[in-house]
Amino acid sequence: MNKITMFDKIMTLMSEKVIVEKIADNKSDKWYKTFTTKDHLAVMVFAQLMNCKSIRELAIQFNTMQNKNYTEVKRSTFSDANTFRSSAFFEALCKTLVDKQQNDVNDALRLFDSTPIIISGRGSEWVLARSTRHIKGLKVHIQLAPQQLRINQMIITPPNVNDITVAKSWEPTAGTINIFDKGYFDFNWWHKIHLSGAYFVTRTKKNTKYKVIQENTRTKDTSDGILSDQLILLQNKNPRGGKINLLADIPLRLVTYFDSIHRKTYTFITNLLTIPPEEIAAYYKMRWEIEIFFKWLKQNLKIKRFLGTNENAIKIQIYTAIITYILLRELAKTFKLEFIRMKDLLAWIKMVVYRPIEDLLFLSRNICKMSYFCKKKCVELCV
């Protein structure tokens, strides 16, 4: 009888029923008799956990498990599956896991941003048709709940798709505070957030026209960095292109903040009218969390070097990177692991991925406590 390994346990964190449903919906097993979609998913998650740098390395390591639950990987079969099996199943599964996370999130903050996935070299000619001057590859758009580091929305697009175009397709949630940079500058989208009972915090552009209707009282002490706090009305009611600015007659808040560390002045605009101005500045500063999150993904999971060259193979790898991240968080929650950083958890899994799960319950609680020396006051990705 095969013992359940750590890798087996990680894979069981995904609902078997959901996987079967997504396979049926996308007909991803239609032309495959041996290397099934479930095998493909397992191999791709394994590649993410072990950071395999090539298909040859992946095949050797995966086949070493000698687990009868999975088909032995052949390099040519795996390569063909990456090329011809549609990424639709992986996208659907990833979206289902993200939606489940969204239902579990109590965090009121939402961060919006995108990150480029640069693709170059032989076989990457397909990126040229939709590339921009700065990006040749793909873009990953994410909405993140920063306090719990949970992904609420995620989509992959060509680089020539604007961030605001993607954001408009996501419905705002009442009571949330949505934080984003000037790449999401769109008055009518802000109006949609406002109407839904949600809030936004972002920065103005230099040419933003407005009228001050009230100066909020402040002390002369500027040690908190707040230079001014005003209520305003936007002036450009009819932007170019025959559009109507739906936000023009709604009072907004304008907070000017001086960053003494970087010696820069920022102007924030928001529909949060009652909270202290220093909290508005602190909310926008939290936007940096999503940049750190993207950096962690690229440094610790495989979304910079790929096991295929065509668009389908690369999308499969990106989706499985997000799936693996969600599974890591779920694993830590299930076993109540006390690793200070996700990076430490990933390093531990690489060591024990082949081990029977019953041998690890005591071991994990001893090893993870050793990682407390990593605790710092700086921003880290924590479990």
Side-chain angles (χ1 to χ4, degrees):
M1 180 178 177
N2 285 343
K3 290 186 176 181
I4 298 175
T5 65
M6 172 57 75
F7 181 71
D8 294 326
K9 183 60 183 178
I10 291 171
M11 294 303 295
T12 60
L13 295 174
M14 292 181 284
S15 167
E16 177 77 13
K17 180 181 177 181
V18 170
I19 292 175
V20 171
E21 286 178 354
K22 299 307 175 186
I23 291 172
D25 291 345
N26 295 280
K27 299 179 180 179
S28 55
D29 271 348
K30 185 175 182 181
W31 306 110
Y32 295 85
K33 295 181 179 179
T34 54
F35 192 63
T36 66
T37 304
K38 288 174 64 176
D39 292 328
H40 195 175
L41 174 64
V43 173
M44 290 303 300
V45 171
F46 183 87
Q48 293 290 343
L49 293 173
M50 303 303 288
N51 194 26
C52 298
K53 295 179 172 58
S54 67
I55 297 177
R56 183 183 295 275
E57 179 184 341
L58 169 59
I60 292 171
Q61 291 198 37
F62 188 82
N63 293 337
T64 302
M65 282 200 301
Q66 296 180 344
N67 193 323
K68 294 180 181 179
N69 293 326
Y70 308 107
T71 303
E72 182 177 322
V73 179
K74 296 181 179 179
R75 286 178 289 147
S76 59
T77 304
F78 173 76
S79 181
D80 289 343
N82 260 0
T83 302
F84 300 112
R85 175 177 278 132
S86 172
S87 63
F89 160 78
F90 297 90
E91 179 180 3
L93 179 62
C94 183
K95 186 178 186 304
T96 300
L97 295 176
V98 167
D99 289 345
K100 183 178 182 299
Q101 280 205 133
Q102 189 173 8
N103 295 333
D104 296 338
V105 169
N106 297 319
D107 190 351
L109 301 182
R110 298 289 186 271
L111 308 182
F112 292 75
D113 209 349
S114 66
T115 188
I117 305 296
I118 305 301
I119 301 167
S120 60
R122 187 176 62 182
S124 64
E125 294 78 13
W126 58 269
V127 305
L128 300 177
R130 293 173 292 179
S131 64
T132 66
R133 183 173 59 177
H134 302 292
I135 305 173
K136 292 182 180 180
L138 296 169
K139 273 168 75 172
V140 177
H141 305 258
I142 282 180
Q143 182 193 124
L144 185 73
Q147 293 176 343
Q148 299 179 45
L149 290 172
R150 292 187 180 271
I151 301 170
N152 291 322
Q153 301 281 358
M154 181 264 186
I155 191 171
I156 302 172
T157 69
N160 59 356
V161 175
N162 291 330
D163 291 352
I164 185 60
T165 303
V166 173
K168 285 179 178 179
S169 68
W170 295 337
E171 291 297 323
T173 303
T176 58
I177 300 173
N178 300 272
I179 305 165
F180 40 85
D181 62 17
K182 290 189 283 188
Y184 297 85
F185 200 93
D186 186 290
F187 293 144
N188 288 345
W189 182 57
W190 301 356
H191 181 259
K192 180 180 178 181
I193 294 173
H194 181 74
L195 279 187
S196 70
Y199 305 95
F200 62 86
V201 178
T202 187
R203 291 170 58 192
T204 60
K205 291 185 176 180
K206 290 182 179 179
N207 61 351
T208 304
K209 295 182 180 180
Y210 59 88
K211 177 177 69 175
V212 178
I213 58 175
Q214 179 181 314
E215 290 279 356
N216 293 332
T217 305
R218 288 193 48 75
T219 63
K220 293 183 179 180
D221 181 18
T222 59
S223 59
D224 56 6
I226 304 300
L227 302 182
S228 67
D229 181 12
Q230 304 167 318
L231 286 183
I232 66 165
L233 289 176
L234 295 172
Q235 290 292 89
N236 47 344
K237 295 184 179 182
N238 297 99
R240 60 186 179 182
K243 295 182 179 179
I244 298 175
N245 180 3
L246 301 175
L247 204 60
D249 296 322
I250 297 175
L252 299 174
R253 185 100 167 267
L254 200 71
V255 173
T256 305
Y257 170 79
F258 178 71
D259 184 347
S260 58
I261 297 177
H262 300 98
R263 311 299 296 177
K264 292 181 67 176
T265 300
Y266 299 93
T267 304
F268 306 120
I269 188 168
T270 179
N271 61 338
L272 287 163
L273 303 183
T274 58
I275 68 172
E278 56 269 21
E279 286 189 27
I280 294 172
Y283 278 144
Y284 191 83
K285 189 175 182 180
M286 195 171 288
R287 200 196 69 81
W288 187 246
E289 293 280 357
I290 197 167
E291 302 288 355
I292 296 173
F293 175 77
F294 284 139
K295 182 178 179 181
W296 187 92
L297 283 180
K298 290 181 176 181
Q299 287 181 342
N300 295 279
L301 297 176
K302 286 191 66 62
I303 55 173
K304 291 180 73 175
R305 295 183 63 178
F306 297 96
L307 301 174
T309 57
N310 73 326
E311 182 175 4
N312 188 72
I314 290 171
K315 282 186 175 181
I316 288 174
Q317 193 162 322
I318 296 171
Y319 285 126
T320 51
I322 300 300
I323 289 169
T324 303
Y325 172 77
I326 294 172
L327 294 179
L328 286 171
R329 294 194 58 84
E330 190 63 28
L331 181 73
K333 178 182 175 182
T334 301
F335 283 94
K336 299 181 180 179
L337 300 177
E338 300 173 2
F339 288 97
I340 293 301
R341 301 184 304 172
M342 286 280 285
K343 186 174 183 178
D344 299 332
L345 172 61
L346 190 57
W348 178 71
I349 288 175
K350 288 178 183 178
M351 293 175 58
V352 301
V353 69
Y354 304 112
R355 300 271 302 266
I357 197 70
E358 59 264 28
D359 296 346
L360 299 173
L361 296 180
F362 174 77
L363 181 63
S364 64
R365 285 170 173 78
N366 287 319
I367 294 179
C368 66
K369 290 177 182 178
M370 294 170 60
S371 67
Y372 272 94
F373 74 91
C374 296
K375 191 170 184 179
K376 303 175 183 177
K377 291 184 180 180
C378 63
V379 179
E380 293 283 3
L381 287 171
C382 303
V383 177

